[in-house]
Amino acid sequence: MPQIEVNIPDQIEMQIAQLVEQGEFVSQEEAVEQLLSSGIRAYKTSGPSDEEDGAGLESEGGMMGHEDEYVF
């Protein structure tokens, strides 16, 4: 399996470590692999936005038209 090196913010690393400690994953390596795979599947399902860099979302007051509520 190919290996890559990724720099992530401390906060993300801490969240991954917590998931491992809680027993959600066996190791950090497994967690990263599973979470990346899930993210890629979600990206493929939703696809990139038709508008560049999300332009236009702000003007509608959030992703679902609510002032300060974002729904993913």
Side-chain angles (χ1 to χ4, degrees):
M1 177 182 308
Q3 292 187 357
I4 62 170
E5 183 176 320
V6 179
N7 295 319
I8 58 173
D10 290 339
Q11 179 183 356
I12 302 290
E13 192 277 327
M14 288 174 27
Q15 290 174 337
I16 291 171
Q18 284 180 336
L19 290 170
V20 173
E21 287 175 18
Q22 294 169 357
E24 296 290 329
F25 300 99
V26 175
S27 65
Q28 285 188 336
E29 291 81 11
E30 179 195 24
V32 170
E33 181 181 343
Q34 295 267 340
L35 293 169
L36 283 173
S37 294
S38 296
I40 290 170
R41 279 193 305 276
Y43 182 81
K44 284 182 177 180
T45 300
S46 64
S49 173
D50 289 339
E51 299 183 32
E52 244 179 79
D53 296 325
L57 293 177
E58 298 85 7
S59 64
E60 295 181 18
M63 293 188 74
M64 297 300 290
H66 302 282
E67 184 68 26
D68 47 4
E69 178 180 334
Y70 290 87
V71 180
F72 296 92

